[in-house]
Amino acid sequence: MIETTLTDGIAHVEIARADKKNALTFDMFDTLAQAADDLRATKGLRAVILSGQGDSFSAGLDLGAMQQMVGKIDQAKADLVAADATGANRYQRPCTAWAHVPVPVIAAVEGVCFGAGMQLALGADFRVVHPDAKLSVMETKWGLVPDMGITQSLPKLVRVDQAKWLMMSGAVLTGTEAFELGLATELSEAPVDRAMDMAQTLARRSPEALAGCKALAEQGWAGGKSALALEAELQKQLIGLPNQIESVMANLQKREPKFS
């Protein structure tokens, strides 16, 4: 139910459950996390697009999966405290794993994007959203807190009072409202097409430079002396690499770069 295709260095990861508005099961959680791990190790990868098949990104957690959890409360609680080396548990990894993929990850959002689907989209580096899409952090509707890595994503996008309102109220935003709030990077009538345009643009930049920029945002955005040291360390690693030299030569020669 998760389909991944790779063309010219651009991976397209699709939630393939259109008849259920791409609602996610726990098996799909595992498959999404594994897809991120597999792509992280893929040579020649330049960008990733996340989308849902049909007319929606994802309606969130499948209700059947939620009902199954009721009969397995002890196992669910055990899974919540079983973290991997990144600090993420089984329910968080589908959303947090994309931060560890060293290329730009772009979520193309249309239709509904609720709950787990919303947190998956927030786990991407960029979100291209249809103006009429519907987005919501919806977990309080079920008496729960959002717990799929939202502490790693939402604070970078909105003020703390706005984050509290989104989480507490479960308010449903249009794509336009999400853009005005800062949750969407761009609005587009054709999110997947625009995401592909962005991916192709970014693929013309040195992959090591893009990975470095992503690391700066993920690890250094709080600022401070350690962030300054991170800038310097990443730059030291990049200077003189073949792809860095190719970036310079391509600009001087007014041609498209050819990265290794």
Side-chain angles (χ1 to χ4, degrees):
M1 297 182 188
I2 304 297
E3 298 180 0
T4 301
T5 56
L6 182 62
T7 305
D8 296 329
I10 299 173
H12 191 173
V13 180
E14 294 182 284
I15 309 171
R17 204 181 179 209
D19 60 320
K20 299 292 186 180
K21 292 193 178 295
N22 299 312
L24 297 165
T25 66
F26 293 128
D27 286 344
M28 291 168 72
F29 279 18
D30 297 337
T31 305
L32 275 167
Q34 187 61 55
D37 288 346
D38 292 343
L39 289 171
R40 184 180 181 185
T42 299
K43 292 182 178 181
L45 186 68
R46 295 292 182 261
V48 177
I49 296 170
L50 299 176
S51 71
Q53 291 186 355
D55 61 1
S56 285
F57 185 77
S58 173
L61 182 63
D62 182 86
L63 290 180
M66 190 175 297
Q67 291 168 350
Q68 290 175 10
M69 183 183 286
V70 172
K72 300 179 180 179
I73 294 294
D74 289 342
Q75 182 59 55
K77 289 184 176 183
D79 287 341
L80 284 169
V81 296
D84 65 10
T86 70
N89 64 34
R90 182 189 184 191
Y91 309 116
Q92 295 164 334
R93 290 193 69 247
C95 304
T96 62
W98 304 101
H100 304 288
V101 179
V103 301
V105 179
I106 308 164
V109 178
E110 53 191 323
V112 297
C113 182
F114 293 159
M118 178 69 163
Q119 292 184 78
L120 174 61
L122 290 173
D125 300 304
F126 309 102
R127 281 152 298 284
V128 182
V129 180
H130 192 284
D132 297 328
K134 304 295 183 185
L135 302 91
S136 176
V137 183
M138 197 169 276
E139 280 73 9
T140 55
K141 178 180 179 180
W142 308 105
L144 300 170
V145 298
D147 67 333
M148 297 179 66
I150 201 164
T151 57
Q152 310 303 300
S153 57
L154 200 56
K156 298 174 183 175
L157 301 174
V158 300
R159 299 192 316 255
V160 66
D161 59 325
Q162 294 170 325
K164 288 177 182 177
W165 175 252
L166 291 171
M167 292 189 292
M168 291 179 182
S169 69
V172 178
L173 307 177
T174 66
T176 299
E177 290 170 332
F179 176 74
E180 292 171 349
L181 196 60
L183 296 173
T185 310
E186 288 191 12
L187 295 177
S188 173
E189 295 287 340
V192 173
D193 291 344
R194 175 54 186 151
M196 182 60 70
D197 289 342
M198 292 172 66
Q200 291 172 341
T201 295
L202 292 169
R204 293 195 287 271
R205 297 290 183 265
S206 164
E208 291 93 351
L210 295 184
C213 289
K214 184 164 180 172
L216 286 178
E218 294 294 334
Q219 301 171 36
W221 224 235
K225 291 182 178 179
S226 63
L228 291 173
L230 177 63
E231 291 180 23
E233 178 59 30
L234 289 170
Q235 195 76 303
K236 185 179 75 172
Q237 294 173 14
L238 289 175
I239 291 174
L241 287 180
N243 283 338
Q244 190 268 318
I245 295 172
E246 171 62 10
S247 296
V248 173
M249 296 306 297
N251 275 289
L252 292 175
Q253 297 170 4
K254 301 185 185 303
R255 59 172 175 79
E256 287 294 317
K258 297 178 181 179
F259 297 120
S260 57

